[in-house]
């Protein structure tokens, strides 16, 4: 496979993964989830640096590109949805950079194994050799090692819309 084919395959996988997650078991849900993958670029305009977001559909991405993987959630019912959990995996071909969710009261949790989630900073145990002895030490996980984010929202009111996203750098 050449670089262009690999890049197109990566973009296709990035676009498909959130859509597959959204469709699983959501047939009767009042929530409508729309996923998108956007390329983040800094541009100079009138002497100021601003960001532009461009849809990655039918485009390639390259190592070092910054992506915004976004989920827009709309409550199509009139009733509030309580205790909503919204998960987003960090694609394997990327490294986590940051996250944001535009709703009050949201809690962001992170994972490195896809099973257990916790607030930052995440910790893990590593074995190191000191003075000829193997010792287990607790260390802080580098955010680039995160494999997923879970946003916990206390409530999404009827008719409400939220947008949550992660930013990830293409490896």
């Amino acid at each position: 496979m050449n670089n262009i084919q690999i890049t197109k395959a990566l973009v296709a996988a990035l676009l498909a993964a959130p859509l597959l997650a959204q469709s699983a078991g959501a047939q009767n849900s009042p929530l409508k989830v729309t996923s998108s993958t956007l390329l983040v670029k800094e541009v100079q305009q009138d002497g100021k640096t601003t960001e532009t977001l461009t849809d990655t559909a039918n485009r390639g991405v390259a190592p070092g590109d910054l992506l915004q993987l976004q989920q827009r959630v709309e409550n199509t019912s009139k009733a509030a949805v309580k205790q909503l959990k919204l998960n987003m995996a960090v694609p394997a071909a990327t490294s986590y950079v940051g996250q944001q969710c535009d709703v009050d009261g949201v809690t962001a949790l992170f994972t490195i194994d896809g099973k257990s989630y916790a607030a930052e900073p995440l910790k893990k145990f590593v074995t190191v050799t000191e003075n000829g002895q193997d010792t287990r030490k607790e260390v802080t996980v580098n955010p680039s090692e995160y494999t997923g984010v879970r946003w916990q929202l206390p409530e999404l009111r009827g008719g409400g819309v939220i947008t949550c996203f992660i930013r990830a750098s293409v490896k």
Side-chain angles (χ1 to χ4, degrees):
M1 247 188 201
N2 66 31
N3 284 345
I4 293 173
Q5 290 171 317
I6 292 169
T7 303
K8 286 183 179 180
L10 172 63
V11 171
L14 289 172
L15 292 172
L19 296 175
L20 293 173
Q22 146 194 354
S23 64
Q27 291 81 7
N28 297 324
S29 173
L31 301 176
K32 178 183 176 187
V33 180
T34 307
S35 300
S36 56
T37 302
L38 307 167
L39 179 64
V40 180
K41 290 283 187 185
E42 287 188 354
V43 295
Q44 292 290 326
Q45 188 175 17
D46 299 328
K48 296 180 184 176
T49 302
T50 59
E51 286 185 347
T52 61
L53 300 174
T54 308
D55 194 337
T56 59
N58 302 318
R59 298 183 58 136
V61 295
D65 281 349
L66 182 62
L67 301 177
Q68 180 166 306
L69 294 93
Q70 186 168 288
Q71 292 184 352
R72 180 182 180 274
V73 182
E74 178 182 0
N75 182 353
T76 60
S77 72
K78 293 183 181 180
V81 174
K82 298 194 183 279
Q83 303 306 314
L84 177 64
K85 292 180 183 175
L86 182 62
N87 292 339
M88 182 177 284
V90 177
T94 67
S95 293
Y96 172 86
V97 175
Q99 63 82 31
Q100 185 174 325
C101 193
D102 69 355
V103 64
D104 292 334
V106 67
T107 301
L109 303 175
F110 305 88
T111 184
I112 57 172
D113 63 8
K115 298 174 190 169
S116 58
Y117 288 81
E120 288 184 296
L122 294 186
K123 303 283 187 177
K124 69 179 179 181
F125 286 96
V126 296
T127 302
V128 295
T129 304
E130 293 178 344
N131 301 324
Q133 296 283 340
D134 285 345
T135 307
R136 281 182 49 130
K137 283 195 165 186
E138 185 178 55
V139 296
T140 301
V141 175
N142 187 320
S144 66
E145 295 179 58
Y146 294 174
T147 60
V149 178
R150 172 179 289 162
W151 294 282
Q152 294 180 313
L153 301 102
E155 177 178 292
L156 179 56
R157 63 177 169 71
V161 176
I162 60 158
T163 301
C164 299
F165 65 83
I166 64 170
R167 287 203 169 167
S169 177
V170 177
K171 293 180 184 177

